[in-house]
Amino acid sequence: MRPILSLCAATLVLGACSSGNLDLDLRDVGKGFDTSSSITAQTAARPTPDNRGVISYPNYQVVVARRGDTVADVAARVGIPAEELARYNGVPVGSALNQGEVLALPKRVAEPSPATGATTTGPIRPAETVDIQTLAGDAITRATPTSAAAAPAPSRAATQTGKEPVRHKVESGETAYSIARLYGVSARSLADWNGLGQDLEVRVGQYLLIPVVVKAPETKAKTGTPTATTEPGQGSPTPTPPSAATPLPKEKTEPAAKAAAGASAAAPKGTPESPDLGKDATTASASSGRMTSPVSGNIIRDFRKGKNDGIDIAATSGATVVAADSGVVAAITQDTDQVPIIVLRHDGGLLTVYANVDNLKIAKGQAVKRGQSIATVRAASSPFLHFEVRDGVEAVDPNEYLN
């Protein structure tokens, strides 16, 4: 993904190091060099923790270490046994932590509130899930004047809004660079969100917060023939039109109505109209999807841009989940309930995501074929498969790709 720089080009090496995109362990040698990863998405800043260091989301909580903290110090501050916190994060109890390093909490602690130094109460929630009536009621209460004898009614602190980041559990062989590339973010942003050291070292079993993308990378359309370059200040050359060398032949034109009448008279009676093959071909192409459905069932929750990044497909417990298209297993991670999540990489920069699965039949790095069994649907009272299609970091409607 990044070019190998020669040792003699010292200034280029320093420039690459400062940008945070140099692959120090050279894990991508032999995979073909591609500088497209240098154009990464813009990400938001990590939310500010409360006085304990706790950042709370609906599905999990994390705690941020202070300067000089050990795992035991952090555990004492949030009220969790040190051994439990250390085991959950794959780190010894007495290990010194980087300032700003993030540890995942194995169980929920008291929610951030003004009592813990937070400006708001409760977990950070998506804006669309906030109780609008409650917020409106609080605003009315604050705006209503009260008499001197009446005490103002206490209003609930506002809920902080924001997108919940993906949590990635580091596996053997992964680096900060490979994880950043997987999710389309910069290694520097990944380090800032997780308090990684200057060497960007990660450990097996460590949970990393994937920075929230606020703007996808811009893509430029490919052009067929490169244009000539000019010196700065000279402007771009204007191409010479073909007619400058050889004038175009004169054409005899006639009104459309007259041409149509002539064509009708020339056509023998009983001749059927010619079909519009181009239109038929376009319709057939648009209706045939590139991917196959990963599981048989009805869609119970459809894709909604910014609200649901994929579709939920109802299925029976233990139903076979297949690869929607041929590709490579890019990652196998877990959600907060330790349920596996599979990510496949396909041609054209597409990723497919399969969540709420069990009984994995593939391994990371394995090549899979379209329709190949990769897992089964997890047993539940209302079993379903969550399926996503991503074009780079951008979630797109899976229905546009499925047969």
Side-chain angles (χ1 to χ4, degrees):
M1 301 294 284
R2 288 168 299 278
I4 299 179
L5 304 177
S6 61
L7 295 178
C8 62
T11 56
L12 294 180
V13 172
L14 292 175
C17 290
S18 63
S19 67
N21 288 326
L22 184 61
D23 191 358
L24 298 179
D25 56 9
L26 303 180
R27 291 182 181 273
D28 287 338
V29 173
K31 297 182 181 179
F33 302 120
D34 182 2
T35 59
S36 61
S37 64
S38 61
I39 307 175
T40 53
Q42 295 182 17
T43 55
R46 187 182 68 188
T48 302
D50 67 3
N51 290 344
R52 302 166 300 171
V54 173
I55 301 175
S56 183
Y57 291 101
N59 293 307
Y60 63 83
Q61 293 176 313
V62 298
V63 60
V64 181
R66 300 171 181 168
R67 182 186 297 274
D69 270 349
T70 64
V71 177
D73 295 330
V74 174
R77 194 157 59 244
V78 297
I80 290 180
E83 293 77 10
E84 183 179 359
L85 182 63
R87 182 171 57 253
Y88 192 71
N89 289 272
V91 59
V93 174
S95 291
L97 302 173
N98 299 322
Q99 182 178 8
E101 184 170 346
V102 169
L103 295 179
L105 295 182
K107 56 186 178 184
R108 296 193 79 86
V109 298
E111 296 291 346
S113 68
T116 66
T119 57
T120 59
T121 298
I124 302 171
R125 297 181 181 276
E128 63 271 10
T129 65
V130 176
D131 187 346
I132 302 300
Q133 292 184 350
T134 299
L135 295 181
D138 289 344
I140 294 173
T141 301
R142 290 192 296 271
T144 303
T146 58
S147 65
S155 61
R156 181 166 32 173
T159 301
Q160 186 176 357
T161 59
K163 186 174 181 179
E164 180 176 285
V166 173
R167 275 200 322 178
H168 181 93
K169 190 173 185 179
V170 180
E171 298 180 358
S172 177
E174 289 186 320
T175 68
Y177 298 103
S178 65
I179 296 170
R181 286 195 300 272
L182 175 63
Y183 293 97
V185 298
S186 69
R188 178 47 34 192
S189 179
L190 184 70
D192 291 342
W193 268 69
N194 295 278
L196 303 182
Q198 293 183 352
D199 56 0
L200 303 188
E201 181 180 359
V202 295
R203 62 181 179 274
V204 175
Q206 180 179 6
Y207 283 99
L208 296 178
L209 298 181
I210 304 303
V212 173
V213 174
V214 295
K215 183 178 180 182
E218 297 181 358
T219 57
K220 296 182 179 180
K222 296 182 178 179
T223 56
T225 304
T227 57
T229 57
T230 59
E231 293 296 328
Q234 293 184 0
S236 301
T238 302
T240 303
S243 59
T246 304
L248 295 175
K250 294 183 178 181
E251 296 182 359
K252 294 181 179 180
T253 59
E254 58 183 351
K258 182 178 179 181
S264 299
K269 295 182 179 180
T271 304
E273 294 184 0
S274 299
D276 189 346
L277 299 179
K279 180 180 179 181
D280 294 343
T282 302
T283 304
S285 176
S287 64
S288 59
R290 130 173 199 181
M291 298 181 178
T292 187
S293 180
V295 71
S296 178
N298 296 323
I299 296 176
I300 57 176
R301 188 183 181 202
D302 214 343
F303 175 84
R304 293 186 66 189
K305 188 69 173 179
K307 295 185 178 182
N308 185 30
D309 289 338
I311 58 175
D312 294 343
I313 307 174
T316 58
S317 298
T320 299
V321 178
V322 302
D325 197 9
S326 299
V328 176
V329 182
I332 298 177
T333 183
Q334 296 176 330
D335 63 14
T336 54
D337 295 324
Q338 309 302 308
V339 178
I341 299 174
I342 302 172
V343 181
L344 302 184
R345 181 184 289 111
H346 310 281
D347 292 339
L350 292 179
L351 298 173
T352 54
V353 182
Y354 310 75
N356 205 34
V357 297
D358 205 353
N359 301 320
L360 272 60
K361 305 179 186 303
I362 40 81
K364 182 183 176 183
Q366 177 181 339
V368 296
K369 295 182 178 180
R370 174 189 172 109
Q372 178 179 334
S373 174
I374 59 175
T376 60
V377 174
R378 183 169 180 256
S381 57
S382 300
F384 68 93
L385 173 73
H386 178 76
F387 176 68
E388 296 181 14
V389 177
R390 291 183 174 266
D391 187 355
V393 298
E394 185 77 12
V396 295
D397 188 353
N399 296 292
E400 297 180 359
Y401 292 83
L402 296 175
N403 289 330

